[in-house]
Amino acid sequence: MNNATPRFAVIGHPVAHSRSPQIHAAFAEQVGISLVYDRIDAAPDAFANTVEYFFSTGGQGLNVTVPFKEEAWQLAQNRLSDRARLAAAVNTLWQTDAGLHGCNTDGIGLVRDLQRLGLLAPGARVLLLGAGGAAKGVIGPLLDTDCERLHVANRTAPRAQSLLQAWLQQQPAHAERLTAGAIDPALSEQSWDLVINATASSLQGQSLDLPTELYRPDTAVYDMMYGPTPTAFLTQAATHGVTRLADGLGMLVEQAAESFFIWHGARPQTTPVIETIRSQMTATVR
């Protein structure tokens, strides 16, 4: 490596656990390019200065993870992609002569993984659990799949309704397909093709207080979180007879692939990278 080698990084706090360097190194090897990809642990009050320093010293692109996605959105406010504008969060930054640009690849990463796994088809009825930033970032790409209905359910109904109203102010045409409310028994009375967990419950090793009989035998269940063993959410679904289960490792790799494409103009293969990381995680618990 020399000083001309393009530099990239993931920035967050904490960030030592991030698999982004491994993922982007694998992508670069696939397409035959050289790059340096680091981790940057930024202090909570130093994000903007850290980003400015990175690009002013020749950095080419940043992946942004918690807790800085909304702040990244503010920094790139003048040059946001449509996905980032609607999500009100940015996970991909790059610099041109015009200034700082921002995009959100989380939603398209989720959709591509769901399609790769055969869990999402046009006309699906989708239940999205959670109304925080993770949910907000995937609503647009999910609606773009022509799902019949997307319902956002949250522990507290007002937060879900607030997300809904904010979205419909920008995209009123989605009013017939996008709904929101509380996680309550009424959800069991409806038929869902796909249930997605966008809450942080699995990070805390906790299952959700979901209505009984929420799932049908053919319902697909997806957790945005991932780990070496099934998450609490997936384990809970399995006890209700669900067999079509997947965690968010593929989403992680797919959203990275979209960032890679934005930066390099090359689209890498994701399945080999997902399989490699999965094997590595599985080996750690043997």
Side-chain angles (χ1 to χ4, degrees), residues 62 64 72-73 75-85 89-95 99-105 262:
L62 285 171
V64 183
W73 179 77
L75 286 180
Q77 193 65 218
N78 295 328
R79 299 167 192 85
L80 294 170
S81 69
D82 288 342
R83 292 195 300 241
R85 178 176 54 81
V90 159
N91 76 336
T92 305
L93 291 168
W94 69 100
Q95 186 95 7
L100 189 66
H101 297 253
C103 187
N104 189 306
T105 67
I262 289 171

Side-chain angles (χ1 to χ4, degrees), residues 175-250:
E176 293 185 1
R177 293 194 295 139
L178 181 62
T179 56
I183 296 177
D184 60 31
L187 293 176
S188 292
E189 301 169 8
Q190 302 169 64
S191 180
W192 306 107
D193 299 303
L194 173 63
V195 178
I196 303 171
N197 181 26
T199 76
S201 60
S202 290
L203 279 177
Q204 301 151 0
Q206 300 174 352
S207 57
L208 292 171
D209 184 15
L210 297 175
T212 58
E213 301 179 356
L214 175 66
Y215 305 114
R216 302 194 322 266
D218 59 344
T219 299
V221 174
Y222 190 97
D223 195 341
M224 289 191 191
M225 301 298 111
Y226 70 94
T229 58
T231 66
F233 178 73
L234 295 180
T235 300
Q236 180 185 33
T239 64
H240 287 83
V242 177
T243 58
R244 301 173 69 205
L245 303 163
D247 68 14
L249 176 60

Side-chain angles (χ1 to χ4, degrees), residues 27-85:
F27 289 163
E29 183 176 2
Q30 281 185 24
V31 303
I33 64 175
S34 297
L35 58 79
V36 174
Y37 193 107
D38 298 315
R39 298 180 182 92
I40 300 175
D41 193 331
D45 60 351
F47 175 73
N49 288 339
T50 305
V51 169
E52 181 180 5
Y53 179 79
F54 177 82
F55 286 112
S56 68
T57 56
Q60 301 288 302
L62 285 171
N63 286 129
V64 183
T65 188
V66 292
F68 298 126
K69 292 184 181 183
E70 292 183 355
E71 193 170 349
W73 179 77
Q74 292 289 348
L75 286 180
Q77 193 65 218
N78 295 328
R79 299 167 192 85
L80 294 170
S81 69
D82 288 342
R83 292 195 300 241
R85 178 176 54 81

Side-chain angles (χ1 to χ4, degrees), residues 73 81-89 136-137 140 167 170-171 174:
W73 179 77
S81 69
D82 288 342
R83 292 195 300 241
R85 178 176 54 81
L86 290 169
K136 187 186 298 184
W167 184 270
Q170 299 183 80
Q171 298 287 314
H174 292 149

